[in-house]
Amino acid sequence: MKNIRKAYGALRVIDDVSLKIERGVFITLLGPSGCGKSTLLRSIVGLAEPDSGEILVDGKDITRAAAHNRPVKMVFQDYALFPHMTVAQNIGFGCEMQGMEKSAIARRCTELLELIRLPDIANRYPDALSGGQRQRVALARALAPDPAALLLDEPLGALDLKLRQDMQRELKAIQRRTGKTFVFVTHDQQEAMSMSDLVAVMNKGRIEQLDSPQNIYANPATLFIADFVGATNLFKAKLEMIDGGHLVLAVGDARWRIPAARVTSDRKPVAGEAVSVVIRPEAFDIGASRRQDDIVLSGRLTDQTYLGDRVHLNVETADGAALLVDARPPVAVGQGTEIKLRCRPDNLAIIAG
C-alpha cells in the first residue's frame, strides 16, 4: 500500500498510509473503533475505493480492480456463508467461479476440510453448524481459490471467550500450515499480541507503530500506544540533564536515573523537556529495594483481585496517584497496608513530549 487516503466528507478515515507486507506474514491491524483499520482492509479487497494511493499485490496494481478479480479473499465477522448451500458447495463456490473442474473442486474441498479438522461435515448446511464450525468453513471457503492473501475483519468477534481463544490458536496454526499471508483486523489487544508476527497499531487513520508484538508492548512509540496496548502506569516527568548514557528525570520531588536506551519514542527528548514514563504493572516488585539504582515508590494498598496466575493490586501513593501492580501469588499484604514498590530502570519506557 502506497500513500492510501480515504475520506467520507470532512472525515479523513485513512490518512496517507503506506505499508509493505511480506509474503507468509501474519499481520494484525490493531486499533480502536473508527481508527480506519476496517476501511483499509476493505480497500485491499475492493469493497472500498481509496481516494488516492496505490495497492499492489506481487507488484501488480489492483487499486481499481473489481473485487472478484483481486487475488485476495476476505473472511467476515458474520461469516457470510450461503445458507442454501452445503458446506462443500460453500467451500467450492469460489473455485467454481474460477472455472475449475468439478473433480478438482471436490479434491480441494476434501483437502480443506481436513485442514480445518472437520472432514465429516461436507453435506451439512450452515444452520446445522456451531459458531466455531461456521468460522472454520468461512476460512476454508476463502482459502479454496488459493488467494495471495487472506483478509480477516474481526472474524472472532461473535464467539464466546473459550471458543474465541481456541480459534485464535487454530487460525495461527492454519496460517503456518498454509504459509499464506494473513491480514487480520481487531480492536482486541490480547488477540493481536497472541497471534501476530507483526502488529500495526492504528490511530486516527494513521499507523503509529509497526513492530513485533513484544516491541509494541515493551517499547511503545507513542503515548497512545502505551495507553491502548495493555495496562500501564504513566508518570509525567522533566528531563533535567543527560549524563553520559543516562537521563536524569525529575518526577515530583524524586530523581530517577534511567538508561537513555529506554527512550522508545521516535524523537529523542532534550534537556529541559517534559517526558512521559511508562511502567507496566508487572514491572514492579514488592518490598524493600536490594539494588541501588532501583526506582522506589510507596503507597497504600486499596484493593486486590486474585486472578489465578497473578494478583492485581491497586495502590494509592501519598500524593493521590493510583498505581496498578501485578504480583505473583501469594501476596501477604492486607488491604490498607503501606507497601514499598521497586522497579528496575531498564524495565520502563520513556516517551518524549
Side-chain angles (χ1 to χ4, degrees):
M1 286 163 275
K2 297 181 179 179
N3 306 111
I4 301 297
R5 294 180 174 89
K6 179 68 177 179
Y8 295 103
L11 179 62
R12 188 174 294 180
V13 182
I14 305 176
D15 188 7
D16 196 28
V17 167
S18 294
L19 177 63
K20 183 178 181 180
I21 302 171
E22 300 291 343
R23 186 187 302 275
V25 167
F26 194 126
I27 183 171
T28 294
L29 307 180
L30 173 67
S33 297
C35 71
K37 57 188 185 297
S38 289
T39 302
L40 191 61
L41 200 73
R42 292 168 66 85
S43 297
I44 300 171
V45 81
L47 298 178
E49 185 173 315
D51 299 329
S52 60
E54 295 178 299
I55 301 170
L56 299 95
V57 177
D58 291 333
K60 181 181 178 182
D61 190 342
I62 64 165
T63 314
R64 310 300 170 193
H68 64 272
N69 287 331
R70 300 188 181 208
V72 295
K73 296 298 176 186
M74 192 161 178
V75 178
F76 299 90
Q77 183 174 349
D78 61 359
Y79 318 133
L81 296 175
F82 301 118
H84 62 286
M85 292 185 180
T86 66
V87 166
Q89 290 169 334
N90 265 283
I91 293 174
F93 180 78
C95 299
E96 188 176 342
M97 292 299 99
Q98 289 183 338
M100 190 181 294
E101 293 183 356
K102 287 186 177 181
S103 58
I105 294 174
R107 287 194 299 272
R108 182 68 170 152
C109 179
T110 299
E111 173 188 323
L112 287 168
L113 285 172
E114 291 288 347
L115 177 70
I116 63 173
R117 299 193 298 179
L118 294 171
D120 302 321
I121 66 165
N123 295 320
R124 292 191 199 174
Y125 287 87
D127 62 1
L129 304 177
S130 68
Q133 288 173 330
R134 286 196 295 272
Q135 180 62 74
R136 293 185 192 192
V137 172
L139 183 65
R141 184 180 62 177
L143 287 169
D146 196 27
L150 198 63
L151 314 179
L152 304 102
D153 191 6
E154 305 211 38
L156 308 182
L159 305 179
D160 62 50
L161 178 60
K162 179 65 167 63
L163 185 54
R164 187 182 184 121
Q165 292 172 339
D166 289 343
M167 281 304 301
Q168 288 171 11
R169 290 188 289 270
E170 190 69 24
L171 274 177
K172 183 58 181 174
I174 289 172
Q175 189 266 338
R176 284 174 175 160
R177 289 198 295 269
T178 61
K180 289 291 181 187
T181 305
F182 276 29
V183 186
F184 192 91
V185 158
T186 186
H187 62 272
D188 187 305
Q189 305 150 36
Q190 183 274 331
E191 199 164 80
M193 304 299 268
S194 65
M195 299 172 67
S196 314
D197 301 315
L198 288 173
V199 176
V201 184
M202 294 190 66
N203 182 34
K204 297 180 180 178
R206 289 180 174 268
I207 294 175
E208 292 206 357
Q209 188 171 356
L210 173 66
D211 216 325
S212 68
Q214 295 84 356
N215 278 331
I216 292 286
Y217 185 78
N219 304 306
T222 66
L223 278 179
F224 167 78
I225 294 170
D227 185 56
F228 181 73
V229 179
T232 191
N233 297 287
L234 190 63
F235 299 84
K236 293 298 182 181
K238 181 180 179 181
L239 174 54
E240 288 197 335
M241 61 182 292
I242 301 174
D243 180 16
H246 289 78
L247 309 182
V248 178
L249 305 181
V251 186
D253 295 330
R255 297 296 180 272
W256 294 358
R257 183 178 169 83
I258 313 297
R262 291 313 302 146
V263 176
T264 59
S265 55
D266 293 333
R267 186 176 66 80
K268 306 305 177 186
V270 297
E273 182 180 357
V275 298
S276 297
V277 182
V278 175
I279 304 181
R280 299 296 189 184
E282 69 277 5
F284 285 115
D285 292 317
I286 299 175
S289 177
R290 295 186 295 272
R291 296 177 294 263
Q292 187 174 0
D293 62 343
D294 275 354
I295 292 166
V296 180
L297 299 166
S298 61
R300 182 177 60 88
L301 179 64
T302 60
D303 191 27
Q304 59 180 295
T305 305
Y306 177 71
L307 299 172
D309 61 336
R310 67 192 189 281
V311 180
H312 187 75
L313 307 177
N314 294 96
V315 178
E316 183 179 309
T317 64
D319 59 2
L323 299 180
L324 303 175
V325 180
D326 281 344
R328 291 176 178 269
V331 176
V333 180
Q335 193 161 323
T337 303
E338 291 289 327
I339 61 174
K340 291 281 188 182
L341 300 173
R342 63 185 191 274
C343 173
R344 298 208 57 159
D346 52 4
N347 284 343
L348 51 71
I350 300 172
I351 298 173

